[in-house]
Amino acid sequence: GYAVGPAGLMATALQAFNELGVGLKVALVAVYLLLVVQFRSFAIAVVLMLAIPLQGLGAIGGLTLRGMAWSPPVLWGMVVLAGIVLSNSILIVDKIVHLRAQGVDRHRAIVAASALRLRPVLMTAFAAGAAMLPIAVYPPPQMEQFRNIATGITGGLITSTLMTLIVIPVAY
């Protein structure tokens, strides 16, 4: 019989996208388990992982605003960005945990940790954004193929940083 389906480059791109999706799921489970071991809490690990979907929303928003396509390289960029986003969440939650261990009540620990970790979180975001923004906005000719990745990372970085400063303390 006959069949209709993707072939050639489209089939290869779909296969790569599916494999990246599987790899991303495995990586997320592995990171979650490492966070559970590190913080000795399933709930804290979930709070930390909340920042990852926020980066995806920003990436999709950034690509949509610029009329760009979602592609396997953009997904790869999101995996890289997940590390930055997760480290920002860890900075805040780790400080909250330390303050709580010192006997500070929950509300004061959250407020103090958010204030104390604001600068490192913003510095990390600004440094990554400063590296990506020129490639996203006006790339040199030899860097044009990275425009979508840089746009996705920049969009994800903006939303995840802003939302991490709000969502992570509230969720804790």
Side-chain angles (χ1 to χ4, degrees):
Y2 294 97
V4 177
L9 279 174
M10 180 54 89
T12 304
L14 287 173
Q15 180 182 1
F17 198 75
N18 289 335
E19 289 173 4
L20 278 171
V22 170
L24 181 61
K25 290 173 189 169
V26 169
L28 287 174
V29 169
V31 167
Y32 175 76
L33 293 174
L34 284 171
L35 291 171
V36 168
V37 169
Q38 178 66 34
F39 286 94
R40 296 182 179 108
S41 169
F42 289 101
I44 290 176
V46 168
V47 169
L48 290 168
M49 297 289 284
L50 285 175
I52 293 175
L54 300 173
Q55 75 166 3
L57 293 174
I60 291 169
L63 291 169
T64 302
L65 284 174
R66 301 219 36 219
M68 297 179 169
W70 184 261
S71 63
V74 173
L75 184 59
W76 178 78
M78 293 301 95
V79 172
V80 172
L81 181 57
I84 295 171
V85 170
L86 201 54
S87 72
N88 285 343
S89 296
I90 290 170
L91 281 172
I92 296 170
V93 171
D94 185 55
K95 190 64 176 177
I96 294 171
V97 169
H98 282 241
L99 290 171
R100 296 278 292 144
Q102 294 173 354
V104 178
D105 73 280
R106 183 184 192 94
H107 178 66
R108 286 196 177 156
I110 291 170
V111 171
S114 298
L116 289 169
R117 296 301 190 198
L118 176 64
R119 185 173 173 212
V121 166
L122 291 177
M123 287 173 53
T124 303
F126 286 144
M132 288 294 137
L133 201 55
I135 298 168
V137 176
Y138 190 71
Q142 67 272 21
M143 301 290 281
E144 183 67 36
Q145 70 269 19
F146 299 114
R147 185 178 231 168
N148 285 18
I149 299 169
T151 298
I153 289 174
T154 303
L157 189 63
I158 290 168
T159 58
S160 65
T161 300
L162 293 175
M163 296 307 288
T164 295
L165 294 171
I166 299 166
V167 172
I168 299 304
V170 169
Y172 187 87

